[in-house]
Amino acid sequence: MPKRKNVDKEYQDLVNVDLQALKENVQNFLSDFPDPRIELRCLYPSWYLILIILCGYLSNCNTVADIAYFAASRGSWLNLSLGLNFGIPSYDTIWWFMSRVKPEGLKNLMSQWLASIPSDLKDQLLIVDGKRLRGVSNNEHISHIVELFAAESKLVIKQERVADKSCERKALPQLLRGIDVRGAIISFDAHFTYHKELQYVLNEGADYLVGIKGNQGNLEAEVRNYFNQAHAIHYESEEFQCHSSLDKGHGRIESRHICVTHDLDWLRQKNEWGLKSLIEVRSERAFSGKTENSVRYYGCSRCATAEQFSDWIRGHWAIENPLHHVVDVVFKEDASLANVGHIAENMSIFRRLTMNVIRTFDPKRGMADARRGATYEPNYLLGLLSRLFLIKC
């Protein structure tokens, strides 16, 4: 039998956890949370329901029914541990709370929880990408969110819902609002290759790295023609810096050749777009006896080496496995059908809050393993809560 991973001893030891202080800090931290309910008719304050829901998500819950079962089975323990005197919130209470609470309040909590963390985020690649909540989307109504993600620390810095009958890039101003991104480099896919959106990034003091495709046909044609001529002479001109890499794994071999130029005087869009670098990536991927070749182009408002651009371009796809794959496989996001009021967006925020908590305070543990630990080891759950709230208050 494979050896079971033990929960870290530091999370089992509550000697250094002041439960009374934890209780007070939870209340103080969440006391200003905007509650849409009529206060005199509420049995449970909003901070207590948020605590129950967060504990549920940390403890392997994926649906409102799961959280209600967690409250029924572990609510008494949580009350006893923190010296609380509340009853057990029902399924209906949790469901209506999640449906009626405006997502802005939860987004503010995410920002507050990250307040002491982002000092190094600007040294990382920041990624903007969108994700559809497939379980609650249909031909008439599409639930779509856009996220700002730190590639190295794997933290979701912020998320915004895309308005119906709109597109991802329209949510960009709201996504970056209130966040100091000065000096950072933000990576986008080609969907964001529009002058207005990229100028907004520059106005915020950040740099952009963006794919160039057919939605900017004239720009793509000029860039392709330029690099095709360079490829014909094997990039022998001094205008180019090149870097090659080779990756093997999972039965595939992929080679990449990245070439960068900073000589853009020939490009009429240079000043309008704030472009300082153009990048070509030629890749060859061999797997299952087949070979695929592709050529991709990127533009950037920063000068860097070909090797740096290689890392950033590969880093952009870091959002897929540690974020989108995890929320779908571990949190069953695409399987969620809850779609009344604000519940779909609020649940997506709680999933990402949970991921941030685990990756901040137990970064070496896998997401599924950490949630199992919180389910079966109550001290581990209290350990996560203590680190989350005691250092924030």
Side-chain angles (χ1 to χ4, degrees), residues 242-292:
C242 296
H243 172 74
S244 297
S245 63
L246 181 68
D247 290 325
K248 298 180 181 180
H250 304 287
R252 65 171 178 79
I253 301 175
E254 186 170 4
S255 61
R256 299 182 188 86
H257 188 68
I258 297 94
C259 286
V260 179
T261 181
H262 308 306
D263 182 13
L264 307 183
D265 291 338
W266 55 272
L267 186 65
R268 61 183 179 82
Q269 297 97 330
K270 171 188 174 182
N271 294 328
E272 180 186 6
W273 291 65
L275 282 165
K276 293 185 178 178
S277 302
L278 290 176
I279 307 98
E280 178 194 63
V281 180
R282 290 181 178 264
S283 62
E284 181 178 276
R285 187 182 184 201
F287 65 100
S288 302
K290 300 179 182 179
T291 301
E292 294 180 353

Side-chain angles (χ1 to χ4, degrees), residues 73-346:
S73 60
R74 300 281 291 277
S76 298
W77 162 82
L78 187 63
N79 283 333
L80 181 63
S81 298
L82 298 183
L84 303 175
N85 190 29
F86 294 108
I88 304 301
S90 66
Y91 173 93
D92 289 345
T93 298
I94 297 171
W95 190 86
W96 276 111
F97 181 78
M98 290 279 278
S99 300
R100 296 181 64 188
V101 164
K102 292 184 178 180
E104 283 68 25
L106 294 176
K107 293 173 189 174
N108 289 335
L109 287 183
M110 182 184 288
S111 299
Q112 292 177 54
W113 269 318
L114 284 171
S116 66
I117 298 174
S119 57
D120 67 334
L121 290 184
K122 291 190 293 185
D123 298 328
Q124 307 178 30
L125 176 70
L126 303 183
I127 303 168
V128 171
D129 198 18
K131 183 183 186 299
R132 179 173 297 184
L133 306 180
R134 296 188 182 279
V136 294
S137 297
N138 52 45
N139 292 333
E140 297 181 359
H141 174 80
I142 296 176
S143 290
H144 204 100
I145 59 174
V146 179
E147 298 155 295
L148 181 64
F149 183 74
E152 184 178 334
S153 60
K154 300 178 182 178
L155 296 178
V156 180
I157 302 172
K158 194 174 180 182
Q159 75 171 58
E160 288 293 333
R161 182 179 179 276
V162 178
D164 284 342
K165 300 181 180 180
S166 185
C167 54
E168 292 180 13
R169 68 178 191 275
K170 299 300 182 182
L172 182 61
Q174 186 64 29
L175 184 69
L176 297 183
R177 187 168 299 152
I179 299 177
D180 182 8
V181 293
R182 288 174 296 178
I185 182 164
I186 306 177
S187 176
F188 303 89
D189 61 27
H191 182 79
F192 289 85
T193 313
Y194 288 87
H195 172 259
K196 181 179 178 180
E197 281 67 36
L198 298 182
Q199 188 60 52
Y200 184 86
V201 175
L202 297 177
N203 292 342
E204 292 294 307
D207 285 306
Y208 66 79
L209 173 63
V210 68
I212 299 175
K213 287 187 178 180
N215 58 343
Q216 293 293 334
N218 292 335
L219 177 61
E220 182 194 29
E222 291 186 54
V223 173
R224 182 193 299 113
N225 180 61
Y226 180 78
F227 277 106
N228 282 345
Q229 293 182 51
H231 179 68
I233 60 172
H234 307 290
Y235 308 98
E236 293 179 354
S237 171
E238 296 179 357
E239 301 170 2
F240 298 96
Q241 300 175 20
C242 296
H243 172 74
S244 297
S245 63
L246 181 68
D247 290 325
K248 298 180 181 180
H250 304 287
R252 65 171 178 79
I253 301 175
E254 186 170 4
S255 61
R256 299 182 188 86
H257 188 68
I258 297 94
C259 286
V260 179
T261 181
H262 308 306
D263 182 13
L264 307 183
D265 291 338
W266 55 272
L267 186 65
R268 61 183 179 82
Q269 297 97 330
K270 171 188 174 182
N271 294 328
E272 180 186 6
W273 291 65
L275 282 165
K276 293 185 178 178
S277 302
L278 290 176
I279 307 98
E280 178 194 63
V281 180
R282 290 181 178 264
S283 62
E284 181 178 276
R285 187 182 184 201
F287 65 100
S288 302
K290 300 179 182 179
T291 301
E292 294 180 353
N293 293 282
S294 67
V295 183
R296 305 186 301 278
Y297 303 105
Y298 299 85
C300 186
S301 60
R302 178 182 295 188
C303 291
T305 66
E307 188 171 1
Q308 285 176 307
F309 280 121
S310 176
D311 292 339
W312 289 336
I313 290 170
R314 291 197 65 194
H316 177 85
W317 303 110
I319 197 171
E320 294 299 332
N321 285 337
L323 179 54
H324 295 164
H325 179 77
V326 169
V327 294
D328 286 337
V329 174
V330 179
F331 291 84
K332 312 298 181 185
E333 181 166 82
D334 277 352
S336 175
L337 302 178
N339 192 29
V340 174
H342 302 294
I343 194 168
E345 186 174 0
N346 285 335

Side-chain angles (χ1 to χ4, degrees), residues 44-91:
Y44 310 100
S46 59
W47 66 264
Y48 179 69
L49 292 177
I50 291 174
L51 180 63
I52 287 287
I53 295 168
L54 180 61
C55 287
Y57 271 105
L58 285 168
S59 301
N60 231 11
C61 296
N62 294 323
T63 67
V64 174
D66 292 342
I67 297 169
Y69 187 86
F70 170 86
S73 60
R74 300 281 291 277
S76 298
W77 162 82
L78 187 63
N79 283 333
L80 181 63
S81 298
L82 298 183
L84 303 175
N85 190 29
F86 294 108
I88 304 301
S90 66
Y91 173 93

